[in-house]
């Protein structure tokens, strides 16, 4: 099947035959060609904040690159926020950076990104093969420039436990529900039975729920935090309704239920979250034979925004402006964004960034645990538009999320909690 698709779709942005030493790379943009050395080289690859383990790196990066560029070896490392600063201070700057769009500003603030528009053209990497939303997200982050290319996408869904719905004789969720619909179902399943407190629904994070309003965390004109706004008032009023369902609040002021409560403890009936966050936990539980009987539908929303998903979220690759091997690093970017490489991702349950219907059709086909699931519901809704980013986003996000605690635990009304925040 993969062979047939590759033949039908033609070469991807990084496809091509094995290169000879110092082979000339010609541009499909009409620009001057770039001559890239094929002498052996080791490139430092750094995963910044965005989760990436050694096995995943080996499958989707190291092995892919070795097949097309045997002279290039990738050296992997992963670091939480703050780790990259230590590397830079020590004079050790990676050649290739992997991160997520929600963490973009922390990279920009470190001075390791630069506009790659000309280099992309010179190396023949055609941006038109990517989904328009993923490219627009990268441009929005960089003020119209291209400081990185998309590698994979994320999506959100409402995950639900069929066994809990069956236990309480509640009809399963459906696509296109409003928050009122979800809360109505949640009330019927927030029940104590057999000494176990079941929770119908976890309201999630406010900064994710506000996605359809396309409101940034910081006003790009004034630099002021945008917290006490009509949009957040509406979001927190909705979340407050969820917190006030009798039985929702747990011991020791527990008000935030984690994916583990859904996947492992199996006490949460509905959980809205990012697919890339839930997928590893579901697969791990499936491997242990302890996974709930789950499925997915589209994310719930406010009535005026039904049909709109969460904001576009992409994992991206950038070449550090301090790298001495930028053209070789560009060959890595081409290899992992090729049709063959992206098809490998898609069939194994990672959302591709290529604008290719055949890749979409084969999504998760090689993941046994996902067979029979409504995985196509991940793609039913168009993602909300991206918002301008600020170096203060992380700080404001922390403050916004604390508002939820003030409302749920300290019983403050929404207006007071927002004003104080």
């Amino acid at each position: 099947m993969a062979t047939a698709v590759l033949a039908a779709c033609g070469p991807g942005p990084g496809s091509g035959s094995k290169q000879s030493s110092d082979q000339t790379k010609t541009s499909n943009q009409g620009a001057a060609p770039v001559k890239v050395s094929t002498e052996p080289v080791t490139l430092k690859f750094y995963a910044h904040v965005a989760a990436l383990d050694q096995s995943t790196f080996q499958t989707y990066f190291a092995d892919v690159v070795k097949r097309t560029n045997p002279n290039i070896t990738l050296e992997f490392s992963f670091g939480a926020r703050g780790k990259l600063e230590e590397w830079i201070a020590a004079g050790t700057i990676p050649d290739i950076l992997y991160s997520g769009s929600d963490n973009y500003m922390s990279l920009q603030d470190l001075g390791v990104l630069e506009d790659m528009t000309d280099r992309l053209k010179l190396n023949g990497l055609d941006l038109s093969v990517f989904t328009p939303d993923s490219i627009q997200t990268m441009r929005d982050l960089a003020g119209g420039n291209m400081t990185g290319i998309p590698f994979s996408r994320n999506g959100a869904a409402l995950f639900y436990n069929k066994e809990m719905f069956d236990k309480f004789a509640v009809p399963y969720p459906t696509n296109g529900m409003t928050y009122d619909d979800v809360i109505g179902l949640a009330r019927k399943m927030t029940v104590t039975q057999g000494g176990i407190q079941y929770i119908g629904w976890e309201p999630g994070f406010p900064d994710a729920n506000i996605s359809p309003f396309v409101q940034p965390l910081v006003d790009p004109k004034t630099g002021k935090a945008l917290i006490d706004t009509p949009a957040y008032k509406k979001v927190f009023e909705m979340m407050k309704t969820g917190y006030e369902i009798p039985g929702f609040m747990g011991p020791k002021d527990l008000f935030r239920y984690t994916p583990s409560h859904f996947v492992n403890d199996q006490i949460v009936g509905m959980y809205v979250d990012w697919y890339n966050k839930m997928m590893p936990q579901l697969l791990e539980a499936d491997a242990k034979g302890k996974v709930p009987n789950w499925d997915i539908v589209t994310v719930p929303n406010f009535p005026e925004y039904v049909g709109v998903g969460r904001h576009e979220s992409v994992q991206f690759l950038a070449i550090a402006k301090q790298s001495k091997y930028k053209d070789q690093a560009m060959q890595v970017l081409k290899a992992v964004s090729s049709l063959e490489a992206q098809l490998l991702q898609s069939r194994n349950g990672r959302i591709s960034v290529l604008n290719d219907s055949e890749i979409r059709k084969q999504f998760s086909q090689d993941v046994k645990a996902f067979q029979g699931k409504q995985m196509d519901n991940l793609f039913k809704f168009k993602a909300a538009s991206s918002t301008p980013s600020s170096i203060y986003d992380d700080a404001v996000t922390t403050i916004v999320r604390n508002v939820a605690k003030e409302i749920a635990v300290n019983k403050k009304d929404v207006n007071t909690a927002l004003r104080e925040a």
Side-chain angles (χ1 to χ4, degrees), residues 12 67 82 91 114 125 138 171 180 206 213 226 264 280 288 295 342:
R67 285 195 290 270
E114 66 177 353
L125 207 159
M138 296 306 302
D180 287 342
F213 293 92
L226 293 174
N264 301 319
K288 295 177 180 178
D295 211 332
Q342 289 285 313

Side-chain angles (χ1 to χ4, degrees), residues 293-353:
N293 183 10
W294 63 277
D295 211 332
I296 63 172
V297 293
T298 55
V299 293
N301 221 321
F302 298 96
E304 63 270 34
Y305 289 113
V306 169
V308 179
R310 282 189 178 179
H311 61 277
E312 179 76 2
S313 174
V314 299
Q315 289 72 52
F316 67 90
L317 293 166
I319 300 172
K321 72 178 182 180
Q322 295 88 348
S323 173
K324 299 177 181 179
Y325 305 104
K326 293 180 180 179
D327 288 324
Q328 290 92 331
M330 188 62 68
Q331 302 313 303
V332 172
L333 270 57
K334 291 176 68 175
V336 300
S337 58
S338 69
L339 179 61
E340 181 181 12
Q342 289 285 313
L343 182 61
L344 174 67
Q345 281 201 66
S346 184
R347 290 187 64 87
N348 284 280
R350 296 176 67 91
I351 304 176
S352 171
V353 289

